[in-house]
Amino acid sequence: MSVIPQLLAALKANGFRRCEEQPSSSHLVIEGNLSTRFGDVPCLARIDRTFQSFPLVQLTPVPECLLPVAPHIGPAGSLCYIANATAIVDIFDPIGQTLAALDQAARVLEQIMAGERVNDLAEEFYAFWSGIQFFVDVDSRETGTGVLLQKKDAFAVSDNPARTTAKLAHLPGKWRELPWSIDRVTTKTAPRPKSDVWPPETVGELLAWQSRLDDACRRKIEARIARAYRQGRAFAVVVIDSPLMPYAFATLDLLKTPRESSLDQRLPIYDVRILCLNLIRIDDAFVTQRNIPGQTTLAGLRIAMVGVGTIGGYLGEMLARAGAGTAGGELMVVDNQNLEPGNLGRHRLGASHSFLPKATSLADEIKRVMPGLNVRPIPHDVREVNLEGFDLLIDATGEQALGQWLAARHPQKTPLLHVWIEGAGVAVRSYISSHAAEGCYRCLCDYERHGDFTAVEGGVEPLFAGQGCEGPYVPFSASVSIQAAALGLDSVMAWVGRKAWPGLSTRVLSRTHEAANADCTVLKRPGCPACSS
Protein backbone atom coordinates (compact mmCIF):
# COMPACT_ATOMS: atom_id res chain seq x y z
CA MET A 1 0.00 0.00 0.00
CA SER A 2 1.42 3.43 -0.99
CA VAL A 3 2.32 5.78 1.85
CA ILE A 4 2.18 8.86 -0.42
CA PRO A 5 -1.47 9.83 0.44
CA GLN A 6 -0.71 9.76 4.18
CA LEU A 7 2.51 11.71 3.56
CA LEU A 8 0.68 14.39 1.57
CA ALA A 9 -1.89 14.72 4.35
CA ALA A 10 0.88 15.19 6.93
CA LEU A 11 2.65 17.71 4.70
CA LYS A 12 -0.57 19.66 4.14
CA ALA A 13 -0.90 20.13 7.88
CA ASN A 14 2.58 21.71 7.78
CA GLY A 15 1.80 24.07 4.90
CA PHE A 16 3.17 22.00 2.01
CA ARG A 17 1.24 20.79 -1.02
CA ARG A 18 1.85 18.65 -4.07
CA CYS A 19 3.05 20.57 -7.13
CA GLU A 20 0.89 20.29 -10.20
CA GLU A 21 3.94 19.62 -12.36
CA GLN A 22 5.74 16.36 -11.55
CA PRO A 23 8.74 16.08 -13.90
CA SER A 24 9.84 12.65 -12.70
CA SER A 25 8.09 9.47 -11.58
CA SER A 26 10.92 8.73 -9.15
CA HIS A 27 10.36 11.82 -6.99
CA LEU A 28 7.40 13.59 -5.45
CA VAL A 29 7.75 17.38 -5.80
CA ILE A 30 6.08 19.54 -3.15
CA GLU A 31 6.05 23.29 -2.53
CA GLY A 32 5.66 25.37 0.59
CA ASN A 33 7.58 27.60 2.98
CA LEU A 34 10.45 27.11 5.40
CA SER A 35 9.55 29.11 8.52
CA THR A 36 12.33 31.17 10.11
CA ARG A 37 12.35 34.08 12.55
CA PHE A 38 13.21 36.27 9.56
CA GLY A 39 10.05 35.23 7.76
CA ASP A 40 8.85 32.42 5.53
CA VAL A 41 11.07 31.39 2.60
CA PRO A 42 9.40 29.69 -0.40
CA CYS A 43 10.90 26.38 -1.45
CA LEU A 44 10.47 23.21 -3.46
CA ALA A 45 11.27 19.78 -2.04
CA ARG A 46 11.90 16.68 -4.11
CA ILE A 47 11.08 13.54 -2.12
CA ASP A 48 12.48 10.16 -3.15
CA ARG A 49 9.43 7.90 -3.53
CA THR A 50 11.49 4.96 -2.20
CA PHE A 51 12.50 7.07 0.84
CA GLN A 52 16.09 5.84 0.62
CA SER A 53 17.50 9.37 0.63
CA PHE A 54 16.63 12.67 2.27
CA PRO A 55 14.48 15.25 0.44
CA LEU A 56 16.27 17.72 -1.83
CA VAL A 57 15.35 21.29 -0.89
CA GLN A 58 15.55 24.26 -3.27
CA LEU A 59 14.85 27.88 -2.28
CA THR A 60 12.53 29.64 -4.76
CA PRO A 61 13.96 32.22 -4.86
CA VAL A 62 17.06 32.71 -2.70
CA PRO A 63 16.41 35.60 -0.26
CA GLU A 64 18.13 38.84 -1.24
CA CYS A 65 20.06 38.90 2.04
CA LEU A 66 21.83 35.69 1.01
CA LEU A 67 22.92 36.85 -2.45
CA PRO A 68 25.30 36.47 -4.21
CA VAL A 69 26.80 33.76 -2.01
CA ALA A 70 25.97 32.16 1.32
CA PRO A 71 27.10 29.02 3.13
CA HIS A 72 25.26 25.80 2.37
CA ILE A 73 23.36 27.34 -0.56
CA GLY A 74 24.44 26.04 -3.93
CA PRO A 75 23.61 26.72 -7.55
CA ALA A 76 19.94 27.45 -8.32
CA GLY A 77 19.19 27.80 -4.61
CA SER A 78 19.80 24.22 -3.48
CA LEU A 79 20.03 24.06 0.32
CA CYS A 80 22.51 21.71 1.96
CA TYR A 81 20.89 21.11 5.34
CA ILE A 82 22.30 17.74 6.35
CA ALA A 83 25.49 15.76 5.76
CA ASN A 84 24.75 12.26 4.54
CA ALA A 85 27.47 10.75 6.71
CA THR A 86 25.99 12.24 9.88
CA ALA A 87 22.42 10.94 9.57
CA ILE A 88 20.80 7.58 8.90
CA VAL A 89 17.89 7.25 6.52
CA ASP A 90 14.93 5.55 8.25
CA ILE A 91 13.04 3.70 5.51
CA PHE A 92 10.54 2.43 8.09
CA ASP A 93 9.32 5.91 9.06
CA PRO A 94 9.04 7.82 5.75
CA ILE A 95 6.53 10.37 7.04
CA GLY A 96 8.40 11.17 10.24
CA GLN A 97 11.71 11.29 8.36
CA THR A 98 10.36 13.71 5.73
CA LEU A 99 8.85 16.07 8.28
CA ALA A 100 12.01 16.01 10.38
CA ALA A 101 14.13 16.76 7.29
CA LEU A 102 12.05 19.83 6.44
CA ASP A 103 12.29 21.04 10.05
CA GLN A 104 16.08 20.62 9.88
CA ALA A 105 16.19 22.55 6.60
CA ALA A 106 14.30 25.43 8.24
CA ARG A 107 16.69 25.46 11.23
CA VAL A 108 19.79 25.54 9.02
CA LEU A 109 18.33 28.26 6.81
CA GLU A 110 17.56 30.39 9.86
CA GLN A 111 21.15 29.98 11.09
CA ILE A 112 22.45 31.01 7.66
CA MET A 113 20.24 34.11 7.59
CA ALA A 114 21.43 35.01 11.12
CA GLY A 115 25.06 34.87 9.96
CA GLU A 116 25.86 31.94 12.25
CA ARG A 117 27.28 29.73 9.49
CA VAL A 118 29.63 32.20 7.79
CA ASN A 119 32.75 30.25 8.77
CA ASP A 120 31.37 27.24 6.91
CA LEU A 121 32.18 29.09 3.70
CA ALA A 122 35.84 28.15 4.09
CA GLU A 123 34.95 24.47 4.18
CA GLU A 124 32.64 24.88 1.19
CA PHE A 125 35.08 26.98 -0.81
CA TYR A 126 35.13 24.70 -3.85
CA ALA A 127 31.34 24.83 -4.10
CA PHE A 128 31.87 28.42 -5.27
CA TRP A 129 35.24 27.99 -7.01
CA SER A 130 34.37 25.61 -9.82
CA GLY A 131 36.21 25.30 -13.11
CA ILE A 132 38.42 23.06 -15.21
CA GLN A 133 39.90 20.19 -13.21
CA PHE A 134 43.66 20.18 -12.69
CA PHE A 135 45.65 17.44 -10.97
CA VAL A 136 48.24 18.72 -8.47
CA ASP A 137 51.35 16.68 -7.71
CA VAL A 138 53.62 19.03 -5.76
CA ASP A 139 55.65 17.79 -2.81
CA SER A 140 56.95 21.11 -1.48
CA ARG A 141 54.75 23.83 0.04
CA GLU A 142 57.42 26.45 -0.60
CA THR A 143 56.68 29.25 -3.02
CA GLY A 144 58.12 28.54 -6.46
CA THR A 145 57.44 27.56 -10.02
CA GLY A 146 56.04 24.37 -11.46
CA VAL A 147 55.36 22.63 -14.74
CA LEU A 148 52.00 22.42 -16.49
CA LEU A 149 51.28 19.12 -18.24
CA GLN A 150 48.47 18.25 -20.63
CA LYS A 151 47.10 14.96 -21.93
CA LYS A 152 44.03 15.45 -24.12
CA ASP A 153 41.48 17.06 -21.76
CA ALA A 154 43.52 16.41 -18.59
CA PHE A 155 45.89 18.95 -16.99
CA ALA A 156 48.39 18.57 -14.17
CA VAL A 157 50.65 20.90 -12.19
CA SER A 158 53.83 19.19 -11.08
CA ASP A 159 57.26 19.75 -9.56
CA ASN A 160 58.38 16.33 -10.84
CA PRO A 161 56.91 15.52 -14.29
CA ALA A 162 58.33 11.99 -14.36
CA ARG A 163 56.60 11.11 -11.10
CA THR A 164 53.34 12.75 -12.14
CA THR A 165 53.15 11.07 -15.54
CA ALA A 166 53.72 7.71 -13.82
CA LYS A 167 50.81 8.37 -11.45
CA LEU A 168 48.50 9.33 -14.31
CA ALA A 169 49.75 6.83 -16.87
CA HIS A 170 46.32 5.16 -16.94
CA LEU A 171 44.78 8.18 -18.65
CA PRO A 172 44.63 7.85 -22.45
CA GLY A 173 47.05 9.81 -24.60
CA LYS A 174 50.54 11.19 -24.17
CA TRP A 175 51.55 13.90 -21.72
CA ARG A 176 53.19 17.05 -23.04
CA GLU A 177 54.59 20.07 -21.27
CA LEU A 178 52.81 23.37 -21.99
CA PRO A 179 54.87 26.55 -22.33
CA TRP A 180 52.64 28.44 -19.92
CA SER A 181 53.83 30.42 -16.95
CA ILE A 182 53.20 28.38 -13.78
CA ASP A 183 53.75 29.84 -10.33
CA ARG A 184 53.01 28.53 -6.86
CA VAL A 185 52.55 30.79 -3.84
CA THR A 186 51.75 29.94 -0.25
CA THR A 187 49.45 31.53 2.29
CA LYS A 188 48.65 30.83 5.93
CA THR A 189 45.06 31.98 5.49
CA ALA A 190 42.24 29.61 4.52
CA PRO A 191 40.19 30.91 1.58
CA ARG A 192 36.57 31.94 1.87
CA PRO A 193 34.28 33.61 -0.66
CA LYS A 194 33.42 37.30 -0.53
CA SER A 195 29.93 38.29 0.47
CA ASP A 196 29.43 40.53 -2.58
CA VAL A 197 30.63 39.75 -6.12
CA TRP A 198 31.74 36.13 -6.39
CA PRO A 199 33.55 34.37 -7.90
CA PRO A 200 36.11 36.93 -9.14
CA GLU A 201 36.10 37.31 -12.89
CA THR A 202 39.14 39.55 -13.45
CA VAL A 203 42.66 39.85 -12.11
CA GLY A 204 41.68 43.04 -10.32
CA GLU A 205 38.73 41.43 -8.54
CA LEU A 206 40.87 38.46 -7.50
CA LEU A 207 43.63 40.69 -6.11
CA ALA A 208 41.08 42.76 -4.19
CA TRP A 209 39.69 39.57 -2.64
CA GLN A 210 43.16 38.27 -1.76
CA SER A 211 44.13 41.57 -0.12
CA ARG A 212 41.35 41.04 2.42
CA LEU A 213 42.60 37.50 3.17
CA ASP A 214 46.38 37.87 3.08
CA ASP A 215 47.92 41.00 1.57
CA ALA A 216 51.37 39.40 1.37
CA CYS A 217 49.88 36.62 -0.75
CA ARG A 218 48.16 39.25 -2.91
CA ARG A 219 51.51 40.91 -3.59
CA LYS A 220 53.06 37.58 -4.59
CA ILE A 221 50.22 36.84 -7.00
CA GLU A 222 50.40 40.31 -8.54
CA ALA A 223 54.17 40.00 -9.02
CA ARG A 224 53.83 36.62 -10.73
CA ILE A 225 51.19 37.89 -13.17
CA ALA A 226 53.22 41.02 -13.88
CA ARG A 227 56.30 38.94 -14.62
CA ALA A 228 54.36 36.71 -17.02
CA TYR A 229 53.03 39.82 -18.76
CA ARG A 230 56.51 41.34 -19.13
CA GLN A 231 57.80 38.03 -20.50
CA GLY A 232 55.20 38.22 -23.23
CA ARG A 233 53.16 35.19 -22.09
CA ALA A 234 49.52 35.17 -23.10
CA PHE A 235 48.55 32.65 -20.41
CA ALA A 236 49.60 32.24 -16.80
CA VAL A 237 48.52 29.85 -14.06
CA VAL A 238 48.90 30.66 -10.36
CA VAL A 239 48.42 27.96 -7.71
CA ILE A 240 47.77 29.19 -4.15
CA ASP A 241 48.64 26.63 -1.48
CA SER A 242 46.50 27.35 1.59
CA PRO A 243 46.16 25.45 4.90
CA LEU A 244 42.89 23.85 3.80
CA MET A 245 43.49 23.15 0.12
CA PRO A 246 45.25 24.40 -2.98
CA TYR A 247 43.26 26.53 -5.40
CA ALA A 248 44.26 28.16 -8.67
CA PHE A 249 43.28 30.34 -11.58
CA ALA A 250 44.47 31.02 -15.11
CA THR A 251 44.55 34.25 -17.08
CA LEU A 252 42.73 33.91 -20.39
CA ASP A 253 44.41 36.61 -22.50
CA LEU A 254 47.12 38.36 -20.58
CA LEU A 255 48.42 40.30 -23.59
CA LYS A 256 45.12 41.71 -24.79
CA THR A 257 46.47 45.23 -24.08
CA PRO A 258 50.14 45.16 -25.12
CA ARG A 259 52.61 47.87 -24.13
CA GLU A 260 53.35 50.45 -26.80
CA SER A 261 57.10 50.27 -26.24
CA SER A 262 59.73 48.86 -23.92
CA LEU A 263 59.66 52.20 -22.08
CA ASP A 264 55.99 51.75 -21.25
CA GLN A 265 55.92 50.48 -17.64
CA ARG A 266 52.16 50.30 -17.30
CA LEU A 267 50.64 46.97 -16.24
CA PRO A 268 47.30 46.67 -18.04
CA ILE A 269 46.58 43.35 -16.40
CA TYR A 270 43.82 44.16 -13.95
CA ASP A 271 40.94 43.89 -16.42
CA VAL A 272 42.19 40.56 -17.80
CA ARG A 273 39.62 37.82 -17.31
CA ILE A 274 40.52 34.78 -15.21
CA LEU A 275 39.34 31.18 -15.16
CA CYS A 276 38.95 29.36 -11.84
CA LEU A 277 40.64 25.96 -11.72
CA ASN A 278 39.41 23.03 -9.64
CA LEU A 279 42.49 21.29 -8.26
CA ILE A 280 42.62 17.60 -7.39
CA ARG A 281 45.55 16.67 -5.13
CA ILE A 282 47.45 13.50 -5.99
CA ASP A 283 50.68 14.29 -4.14
CA ASP A 284 52.11 11.68 -1.78
CA ALA A 285 51.61 13.77 1.37
CA PHE A 286 47.90 14.13 0.66
CA VAL A 287 47.45 10.44 -0.20
CA THR A 288 49.13 9.27 3.01
CA GLN A 289 47.58 11.85 5.34
CA ARG A 290 44.06 11.86 3.88
CA ASN A 291 42.80 8.96 6.03
CA ILE A 292 44.83 9.74 9.16
CA PRO A 293 44.58 13.55 9.45
CA GLY A 294 46.69 15.07 12.17
CA GLN A 295 48.70 11.88 12.71
CA THR A 296 52.38 11.33 12.01
CA THR A 297 53.09 9.34 8.85
CA LEU A 298 56.18 7.42 7.75
CA ALA A 299 57.19 10.12 5.25
CA GLY A 300 60.90 10.89 5.17
CA LEU A 301 61.96 7.82 7.18
CA ARG A 302 64.28 5.00 6.13
CA ILE A 303 62.57 1.70 6.88
CA ALA A 304 63.89 -1.80 6.16
CA MET A 305 61.55 -4.80 6.17
CA VAL A 306 62.96 -8.32 6.17
CA GLY A 307 60.67 -10.98 4.75
CA VAL A 308 58.28 -10.62 1.81
CA GLY A 309 56.21 -13.66 2.60
CA THR A 310 52.62 -14.10 3.71
CA ILE A 311 52.95 -11.24 6.25
CA GLY A 312 55.50 -9.01 4.56
CA GLY A 313 53.66 -8.85 1.23
CA TYR A 314 50.65 -7.15 2.82
CA LEU A 315 52.67 -5.20 5.40
CA GLY A 316 54.98 -3.74 2.76
CA GLU A 317 52.04 -2.26 0.88
CA MET A 318 50.48 -0.96 4.11
CA LEU A 319 53.75 0.77 5.02
CA ALA A 320 53.84 2.43 1.59
CA ARG A 321 50.26 3.68 2.01
CA ALA A 322 51.29 5.14 5.37
CA GLY A 323 54.05 7.22 3.74
CA ALA A 324 57.08 4.90 3.67
CA GLY A 325 59.25 5.79 0.69
CA THR A 326 57.89 9.35 0.32
CA ALA A 327 59.35 12.81 1.02
CA GLY A 328 62.94 11.64 0.63
CA GLY A 329 62.46 8.49 2.69
CA GLU A 330 63.08 4.89 1.68
CA LEU A 331 61.38 1.53 2.05
CA MET A 332 63.83 -1.34 1.62
CA VAL A 333 62.41 -4.87 1.31
CA VAL A 334 64.73 -7.84 1.80
CA ASP A 335 64.00 -11.44 0.77
CA ASN A 336 66.14 -13.94 -1.12
CA GLN A 337 63.33 -16.30 -2.16
CA ASN A 338 61.15 -16.58 -5.26
CA LEU A 339 57.36 -16.70 -5.19
CA GLU A 340 56.16 -20.31 -5.44
CA PRO A 341 52.69 -21.23 -6.77
CA GLY A 342 51.80 -22.74 -3.41
CA ASN A 343 52.11 -19.26 -1.84
CA LEU A 344 49.48 -17.64 -4.06
CA GLY A 345 46.50 -18.57 -1.87
CA ARG A 346 47.58 -16.23 0.90
CA HIS A 347 50.17 -13.88 -0.60
CA ARG A 348 49.80 -10.25 -1.68
CA LEU A 349 51.48 -11.07 -5.00
CA GLY A 350 49.64 -12.84 -7.79
CA ALA A 351 50.34 -15.49 -10.40
CA SER A 352 52.07 -13.00 -12.71
CA HIS A 353 54.99 -12.96 -10.23
CA SER A 354 55.35 -16.76 -9.92
CA PHE A 355 58.96 -17.96 -9.78
CA LEU A 356 60.23 -14.37 -9.61
CA PRO A 357 62.09 -12.80 -6.65
CA LYS A 358 59.55 -11.75 -4.03
CA ALA A 359 61.45 -8.62 -3.02
CA THR A 360 61.66 -7.29 -6.57
CA SER A 361 58.07 -8.28 -7.34
CA LEU A 362 56.66 -6.52 -4.27
CA ALA A 363 58.65 -3.37 -5.01
CA ASP A 364 57.30 -3.36 -8.59
CA GLU A 365 53.75 -3.91 -7.34
CA ILE A 366 53.97 -1.07 -4.81
CA LYS A 367 55.33 1.27 -7.46
CA ARG A 368 52.51 0.24 -9.78
CA VAL A 369 49.91 1.02 -7.12
CA MET A 370 51.68 4.15 -5.82
CA PRO A 371 54.11 5.46 -8.47
CA GLY A 372 56.93 7.70 -7.34
CA LEU A 373 57.71 5.92 -4.08
CA ASN A 374 61.30 5.10 -3.25
CA VAL A 375 61.08 1.33 -2.74
CA ARG A 376 64.37 -0.59 -2.94
CA PRO A 377 64.27 -4.38 -3.34
CA ILE A 378 67.14 -6.50 -2.00
CA PRO A 379 66.78 -10.10 -3.29
CA HIS A 380 69.56 -11.42 -1.06
CA ASP A 381 69.97 -13.12 2.31
CA VAL A 382 69.57 -10.50 5.05
CA ARG A 383 72.74 -11.81 6.68
CA GLU A 384 74.63 -10.28 3.75
CA VAL A 385 72.81 -6.92 3.87
CA ASN A 386 73.97 -3.71 5.57
CA LEU A 387 71.22 -2.62 7.97
CA GLU A 388 72.98 0.48 9.26
CA GLY A 389 71.41 3.91 9.00
CA PHE A 390 67.72 2.93 9.10
CA ASP A 391 65.13 4.52 11.35
CA LEU A 392 63.22 1.25 11.81
CA LEU A 393 63.82 -2.43 11.09
CA ILE A 394 60.92 -4.87 10.70
CA ASP A 395 61.20 -8.66 10.88
CA ALA A 396 58.20 -10.06 9.01
CA THR A 397 59.72 -13.48 8.32
CA GLY A 398 57.98 -15.33 11.16
CA GLU A 399 61.16 -17.42 11.45
CA GLN A 400 62.22 -17.64 15.06
CA ALA A 401 65.89 -18.39 14.33
CA LEU A 402 66.25 -15.46 11.97
CA GLY A 403 64.37 -13.19 14.37
CA GLN A 404 66.85 -14.06 17.11
CA TRP A 405 69.78 -13.46 14.74
CA LEU A 406 68.40 -10.02 13.94
CA ALA A 407 67.92 -9.29 17.64
CA ALA A 408 71.61 -10.03 18.20
CA ARG A 409 73.07 -8.42 15.06
CA HIS A 410 70.92 -5.40 14.21
CA PRO A 411 72.24 -1.90 15.07
CA GLN A 412 71.42 -1.35 18.73
CA LYS A 413 70.17 2.22 18.26
CA THR A 414 67.62 1.16 15.65
CA PRO A 415 64.18 -0.04 16.83
CA LEU A 416 63.41 -3.60 15.71
CA LEU A 417 59.83 -4.80 15.30
CA HIS A 418 58.95 -8.50 14.97
CA VAL A 419 55.60 -9.66 13.57
CA TRP A 420 54.54 -13.30 13.41
CA ILE A 421 51.68 -15.81 13.40
CA GLU A 422 51.18 -18.30 16.23
CA GLY A 423 50.56 -21.86 15.05
CA ALA A 424 47.97 -22.39 12.34
CA GLY A 425 46.55 -18.89 12.67
CA VAL A 426 45.58 -19.17 16.36
CA ALA A 427 46.86 -15.65 17.06
CA VAL A 428 49.02 -12.91 15.60
CA ARG A 429 51.68 -11.11 17.62
CA SER A 430 54.13 -8.24 17.45
CA TYR A 431 57.07 -7.35 19.63
CA ILE A 432 59.22 -4.21 19.87
CA SER A 433 61.47 -3.05 22.69
CA SER A 434 61.84 0.70 23.20
CA HIS A 435 63.90 0.90 26.41
CA ALA A 436 67.28 -0.47 27.43
CA ALA A 437 65.68 -2.38 30.31
CA GLU A 438 63.33 -4.25 27.99
CA GLY A 439 64.20 -7.61 26.58
CA CYS A 440 64.88 -8.54 22.97
CA TYR A 441 63.07 -11.09 20.83
CA ARG A 442 65.39 -13.87 22.08
CA CYS A 443 64.48 -12.95 25.67
CA LEU A 444 60.81 -13.39 24.80
CA CYS A 445 61.48 -16.76 23.14
CA ASP A 446 63.34 -17.99 26.24
CA TYR A 447 60.50 -16.83 28.50
CA GLU A 448 57.98 -18.70 26.32
CA ARG A 449 59.99 -21.90 26.56
CA HIS A 450 59.45 -21.71 30.33
CA GLY A 451 55.73 -21.10 29.92
CA ASP A 452 55.72 -17.31 30.31
CA PHE A 453 54.17 -14.74 27.96
CA THR A 454 52.47 -17.37 25.80
CA ALA A 455 49.81 -16.23 23.35
CA VAL A 456 46.96 -18.53 24.45
CA GLU A 457 46.09 -20.77 27.39
CA GLY A 458 47.78 -24.13 27.06
CA GLY A 459 50.16 -22.92 24.41
CA VAL A 460 50.05 -23.71 20.70
CA GLU A 461 50.58 -27.20 19.29
CA PRO A 462 52.58 -27.26 16.06
CA LEU A 463 50.44 -28.18 13.04
CA PHE A 464 51.75 -28.94 9.58
CA ALA A 465 50.21 -29.94 6.27
CA GLY A 466 51.51 -31.13 2.91
CA GLN A 467 54.05 -33.54 4.32
CA GLY A 468 54.32 -35.45 1.05
CA CYS A 469 56.52 -34.47 -1.86
CA GLU A 470 55.58 -30.82 -1.41
CA GLY A 471 57.16 -30.57 2.02
CA PRO A 472 55.54 -29.38 5.25
CA TYR A 473 53.90 -26.01 5.64
CA VAL A 474 51.69 -24.38 8.28
CA PRO A 475 48.04 -24.11 7.14
CA PHE A 476 46.06 -20.88 7.65
CA SER A 477 44.02 -18.56 5.47
CA ALA A 478 44.96 -15.23 3.88
CA SER A 479 42.83 -13.42 6.48
CA VAL A 480 45.37 -14.41 9.14
CA SER A 481 48.21 -12.95 7.08
CA ILE A 482 46.31 -9.69 6.66
CA GLN A 483 45.56 -9.44 10.39
CA ALA A 484 49.21 -10.03 11.23
CA ALA A 485 50.21 -7.28 8.79
CA ALA A 486 47.56 -4.98 10.28
CA LEU A 487 48.93 -5.54 13.79
CA GLY A 488 52.40 -4.81 12.45
CA LEU A 489 51.25 -1.53 10.90
CA ASP A 490 49.43 -0.52 14.09
CA SER A 491 52.66 -1.11 16.02
CA VAL A 492 54.64 0.96 13.52
CA MET A 493 52.17 3.86 13.58
CA ALA A 494 52.18 3.87 17.40
CA TRP A 495 55.99 3.96 17.32
CA VAL A 496 56.24 6.82 14.81
CA GLY A 497 53.48 8.76 16.60
CA ARG A 498 55.18 8.26 19.98
CA LYS A 499 52.01 6.77 21.40
CA ALA A 500 51.85 4.44 24.38
CA TRP A 501 52.09 0.90 23.03
CA PRO A 502 52.97 -2.36 24.81
CA GLY A 503 56.14 -4.07 23.68
CA LEU A 504 54.30 -7.40 23.27
CA SER A 505 50.92 -7.28 21.52
CA THR A 506 48.67 -10.27 20.85
CA ARG A 507 45.41 -10.65 18.94
CA VAL A 508 43.77 -14.04 19.38
CA LEU A 509 41.94 -15.14 16.24
CA SER A 510 40.78 -18.60 17.25
CA ARG A 511 37.41 -18.90 18.97
CA THR A 512 38.54 -22.12 20.68
CA HIS A 513 41.43 -20.46 22.53
CA GLU A 514 41.65 -17.94 25.34
CA ALA A 515 44.34 -15.29 25.62
CA ALA A 516 46.94 -16.26 28.19
CA ASN A 517 48.38 -12.81 28.86
CA ALA A 518 47.44 -9.18 28.44
CA ASP A 519 49.61 -7.00 26.22
CA CYS A 520 52.63 -6.03 28.26
CA THR A 521 56.28 -5.02 28.50
CA VAL A 522 58.90 -7.77 28.66
CA LEU A 523 61.97 -7.13 30.79
CA LYS A 524 65.46 -8.16 29.78
CA ARG A 525 66.24 -11.78 30.66
CA PRO A 526 69.53 -12.16 32.59
CA GLY A 527 72.10 -14.02 30.56
CA CYS A 528 70.34 -13.60 27.20
CA PRO A 529 72.91 -14.53 24.52
CA ALA A 530 71.46 -11.96 22.11
CA CYS A 531 71.20 -8.73 24.13
CA SER A 532 73.05 -9.19 27.44
CA SER A 533 76.50 -7.64 27.53
Side-chain angles (χ1 to χ4, degrees), residues 84 94 99 134-135 138 158 166 176 206 221 230 427:
N84 288 334
L99 296 177
F134 270 57
F135 295 101
V138 176
S158 174
R176 65 188 182 96
L206 181 128
I221 296 172
R230 292 190 175 105

Side-chain angles (χ1 to χ4, degrees), residues 207-261:
L207 293 176
W209 165 63
Q210 274 291 328
S211 68
R212 295 163 62 178
L213 292 173
D214 180 352
D215 194 58
C217 180
R218 188 269 305 168
R219 293 194 298 271
K220 293 178 187 176
I221 296 172
E222 187 174 27
R224 301 309 188 276
I225 299 174
R227 182 176 62 187
Y229 175 82
R230 292 190 175 105
Q231 292 175 346
R233 296 179 179 269
F235 300 96
V237 175
V238 178
V239 179
I240 301 100
D241 193 359
S242 78
L244 284 182
M245 70 201 80
Y247 55 101
F249 68 92
T251 61
L252 295 179
D253 189 2
L254 193 55
L255 301 179
K256 72 172 186 176
T257 309
R259 290 181 294 173
E260 295 180 359
S261 70

